Structures are given as structure tokens and as C-alpha cells.
Amino acid sequence: MSGIEIEGLNVWFGDYEERVDAVKNAKLSVPKGGSFGLVGESGSGKSTILRAIMGLAPTWSGKIEILDKPVENPRGRDFYRAVQMVFQDPYASLHPRHSVDQVLSETLSLHGFKDIDTRISKLLDDVGLGPSFRFRYPHQLSGGQRQRVAIARALAPEPQILLLDEPTSALDVSVQAEILNLLTDLRAEHKLTYLMVSHDLAVVGHICHDIAVMQLGEIVETLGVEDMRAMRTQHSYTKHLLESSLQSAAG
Amino acid sequence: MSKLLEVENLWVKFPTRNGVFDAVRGVSFSLGQERLGIVGESGSGKSMTGRAILRLIRPPGIVEADKMELEGVDLLGRSEKEMRKVRGQQISMIMQDPKFSLNPVMRVGAQIMEAYRLHYKVSKKEAKRKTIAMLEAVAIRDPERVYRMYPHEVSGGMGQRIMIAMMLIPDPKIMIADEPTSALDVSVQMQVLEIMDKLVKDRGMGLIFISHDLNLVSSFCDRVLIMYAGRVVETLPADKLHEAEHPYTRGLLNSLPRLDEPKERLDVLKRDPAWATEESVSG
């Protein structure tokens, strides 16, 4: 069974002379339970693919299939029950005047859950936050704690697929390690499918099994993580990215 | 090596309702014509150290030091008016995000020119010539066009290069760069660093490079101070960073995922309360 199947995806913004093609003829497939990474510099269209899947990019064409079913337009509640997204900046993606409890209970009641109280405690527990965090506001949390709340919110409808848009780039390296470990654990525990976007090859290499490299809106290469580690690449741009990332790691 | 800047026992304090909060606690270091990196997590006091040198901490914040001297001249006792002469002309600072540091309603060229004419009495024509030359020096193609642009019309990488141009045009002796590349792409990052490096080297300036990125600092700087909870816990030559001994530095290094050494789980930093109370190391 396939988790995410994308073929011939085009996303554009604006019309006529102002038309910008953000994603051109993208093709990728993530098996159910797999983890797939998209890398590339900003403006290469990697986040746009995630937004197109979520229905946040209005103008697109091509085929998007989630769990072997083509997506509807607009996306229905069933879709959002199956697919959830974690955004890049936990400082911006949480409502400043909603407490953690409000954030989670809103999502849960929208999806028609009845046992909201026990579910919130379970969710907070899942992402490694104790019950004492339940009635805090975002400004009372550190960056890493906020990202944990954002992940808890994404997990609330019990999705099968998580889209992760640079989930650690706004965090310190020590906190990044905690969040990456959390993501690894959650995937094993809930049998989740990940589609992750990052500019950091080391992060993607840690989480993902397959990686697609994007440049100027096109997927220039798709390769397995072992090939990436062994520098077995076809495309010169991938090589360039890998070299600069290995160089900075070696110091 | 002549000392450009000497700081001894620097404290930055903020009085709060729950007592005084010490953001920087007894930091000492000196800077010559070199690239000094300050690394630490957010909240470790690295940016506050940079700001304290320029006396940019606003009341009720308090800056205290036994000694803070720029080429042997005291900085702490100066009046606000005298400090304004120091800022920009002698010590300049590049902030993190060009989007928030450039004036959005002023053309790029006019902003850079203003920085120059504030410190040097020259004609507009001469200032413009100098500005264009400076834009060229930070590798901006077509500087005449960029000169007339507004900040929202330029990309992040270009915006940061404009900031660098603006900070370098008064020819300061020391540049403080506070996370100058963390808002930028990896590929643009290297380019901006190279430009900064070249200009700093050519002019014989001292550079204080504040960053949370260990790898970046170790490849870019000569010397590194590692800060934790307002203290310097370790100081090292940058190329020896990977031989660091302090458990905090080791923990930070180990928590990075690595392409060449995959592992199932990353090591998580275990914080020792003693790190926060140890004596600060001077560097």
C-alpha cells in the first residue's frame, strides 16, 4: 500500500505574465510507513509540495494520491484525519492566546472525539511533556517545548501521515536532537509515514530512508540514504550539496 | 598581537520582580586582529555579550565590568553622545535578520550613504561613489540598480550583504556579527561568510562572530568561546573544537546528526547544574 503518490505535480502562483512555476512535474512516492525527505535550498519548491498536498496551494495540477485515494478538492475531514502537518516555526504556528489545552481540545473536538480529557493527557505524554504543561500559554514554553506541542496537535486526530516542514530549523542543536529522537520514536510507535522537508542533509539523512533533491522547482534526483552517505549520486547539484554539508561537518 | 578590545569580568543584569537576573556572568576575553567565535544555545548570553560591548543594553538592564577597553580607552565611562561616535565608526554590529534591520521606507543606497556621512564630512557625490564601490565589494552585481532599490525588493542574502556594506563603510576596527547567516540559506550562507571574511582580513579588523552553529564557527573562526548560562565554559582554538573537553561542548557536538556516522538515536545533552555555577574561563 502506498502512503503518498505524486505524479506530474505542477504548482504555480499568479497568472499570465506574473505566473511563477514553483513546482514542475514532480514525481515521488512514499510507501505506507516509509519516511521520505525533500532537500534543496529555499525557493526550490520543497515546502510548496507539502502545501499542495495539504490543500494550502490553490493552483495545482497533476496527481496526488493519499493512501491509494486521489485527494478531493477541497480536502475533507477524512483527509485531515489521515494527514497532518508540522510547521517550521513553533513561534508562529501556535496561537499566542490559546493555552496548550485549548489548542489540543479544539483539534480533538473538530475531529469529533468524545474522550477529550484523557486524550490530551495521553498526547502530552506522547510528546514528552508532563501534565503541568497543559494549561500553559505558548509564551511560557521554550522553542523545543512549543514544537512538541505543535507535534502533539498534529498527532491529535491520529493521522497516518505526517508532513514535516523543517521541524527543527528554528531550534538549538541540543533541542534538535531531542525532537529528532521524538520523531523517530513516534514513527515506530504509531506506524507513521513521514514526508519531511529540510535544508539540512544530515537531519534528513538521520530521519529518512529515501531522499529527493530539488532545484528550481524540479526534483533533480531521488536516491536512497545509503547511496547518499556513500556519495553515489548522479546529479552534480546533489554532489555539490553533499560536499558542502560533509565539509562543514568535518570542520 | 595588539589588543583591540579587552573585556574583564563583564556582567549584564536585569532586575525583575523575582530578583536580579544575570544574563552574562563574569565574562572576560580579549580580541586582537582575529576572528573570535562565541557559541552557545539560545539564552546563553552570547548576544547580550555582543550588545553589552556596544552598550546597547537599555535600562533597566545594567552592564558592569572591571574593564572594558577599546584600544586602551575605556568604554564604560563614556557618555551616550561619545558612544554614538564609537558605534559604527569603531565598532559595528551586524544583526541577525536583514528584514528587521534595514529601514523599509528608505532606499538601500540612501541608508548606506547615511551611515557613511554620519561619520565623515564628505559631499553627497563622493558618498555615493563610495557607496557604489562598497556594494561592489560585497559582490553585488549591478550596484547602481541595487542602490535605488527598497529593502523589500532584495532577497535575504542580498539584504545581509547590504547590511555588511553598511556596517563596513565607516571603516570600523571591530565588527560584531550576531548570527549573520542564520536567516539565510545554506548555499547563500557560505557566500556571505566568504565576503565577510575577505573584507575583515583585508582591513585588518577584529571580528566577533556570534552563532549557535558549532560547525560553522569551527570552520570560520580562529578562536572559540563556548558559553553556557551566561558564562564562558571553555575556550579553544577553532580547529581543535572537535577535541573539546568540557562535557557541555562535547554534548553539543554529539547531539548533531552526521551523514558519515549514522546512528539510531541521537545523544541528548544532559545538563549538569554545576556548569552554570562554575567559574568563567577567560579567553
Side-chain angles (χ1 to χ4, degrees), chain B residues 124-231:
Chain B
K124 270 202 172 142
K125 209 171 143 197
E126 167 65 16
K128 180 172 180 186
R129 197 191 56 74
K130 182 97 182 161
T131 302
I132 301 267
M134 199 63 228
L135 283 173
E136 244 165 49
V138 292
I140 285 178
R141 276 162 289 176
D142 202 358
E144 291 276 355
R145 191 173 62 90
V146 175
Y147 182 88
R148 289 191 307 273
M149 281 176 38
Y150 282 102
H152 73 269
E153 297 173 296
V154 303
S155 66
M158 205 192 267
Q160 201 56 295
R161 279 181 278 161
I162 291 168
M163 282 295 295
I164 295 175
M166 190 188 300
M167 291 305 136
L168 282 175
I169 203 166
D171 229 344
K173 299 189 182 89
I174 295 172
M175 183 149 83
I176 303 172
D178 188 359
E179 306 253 9
T181 58
S182 47
L184 305 178
D185 248 347
V186 204
S187 48
V188 186
Q189 224 172 50
M190 279 338 272
Q191 193 194 5
V192 168
L193 286 178
E194 266 163 36
I195 292 165
M196 208 161 77
D197 187 35
K198 183 175 169 295
L199 292 173
V200 166
K201 221 179 252 165
D202 290 352
R203 288 158 190 247
M205 288 163 56
L207 175 71
I208 299 180
F209 187 84
I210 300 171
S211 175
H212 66 275
D213 191 331
L214 286 158
N215 288 323
L216 193 69
V217 168
S218 73
S219 60
F220 183 69
C221 294
D222 303 314
R223 217 149 52 88
V224 186
L225 306 180
I226 292 119
M227 283 189 74
Y228 180 77
R231 285 167 196 273

